[in-house]
Amino acid sequence: HFQPVDGAPDMLRELSRRYYLGIVTTRSHREAEAFLRQQKLTDVVQVITARDDTWRIKPHPSPVRHSAEKLEVPVERCLVVGDSTVDIEAARAAGAWSVGVLSGFGSRNQLERAGANRIIEAATDLLDWL
């Protein structure tokens, strides 16, 4: 049983009205799909890139690049939202933009040092920022 971050499912539904959405995760593809099914978000996310979809995992840039290719969006027009330094490092290495979220693993200082373009308190703050 997966627990989403408070407000995240509604936020993703709202963002999907304006943007293509993908998931880049170190979990398996099967686990990511199970989460989306459980949260009734399968129609919201266009791409899943999991640990079994590329040779390397975050912080390597290949999962971010793979998602951008599948979305048919230039990687420099992609925004990676994550709560850990490996999310930010993968985005930077791939040439994507990054937003660090303080509701997870990384502290403000760690996300800043990793090179986040912006830091927000909670993922739901994306609705106000984008």
Side-chain angles (χ1 to χ4, degrees), residues 2-42:
F2 301 100
Q3 294 297 318
V5 173
D6 286 340
D10 290 336
M11 175 207 58
L12 291 171
R13 286 183 191 94
E14 179 65 30
L15 289 175
S16 73
R17 294 180 186 150
R18 297 181 279 168
Y19 303 100
Y20 296 121
L21 299 181
I23 294 176
V24 176
T25 181
T26 55
R27 291 185 180 266
S28 72
H29 203 100
R30 194 185 80 196
E31 288 174 293
E33 287 176 335
F35 171 78
L36 292 174
R37 276 193 309 277
Q38 182 187 60
Q39 300 303 317
K40 297 177 177 53
L41 293 170
T42 55

Side-chain angles (χ1 to χ4, degrees), residues 42-103:
T42 55
D43 60 329
V44 170
V45 174
Q46 288 78 40
V47 170
I48 298 171
T49 300
R51 70 174 177 238
D52 37 5
D53 293 317
T54 62
W55 286 97
R56 307 284 298 269
I57 61 172
K58 299 179 289 185
H60 196 273
S62 64
V64 174
R65 290 182 183 144
H66 180 77
S67 289
E69 288 173 16
K70 287 178 79 175
L71 289 169
E72 298 181 0
V73 175
V75 72
E76 59 274 4
R77 294 201 49 186
C78 292
L79 175 66
V80 174
V81 179
D83 64 357
S84 71
T85 57
V86 295
D87 297 321
I88 305 306
E89 291 166 0
R92 288 184 51 86
W97 296 88
S98 63
V99 170
V101 182
L102 296 177
S103 59

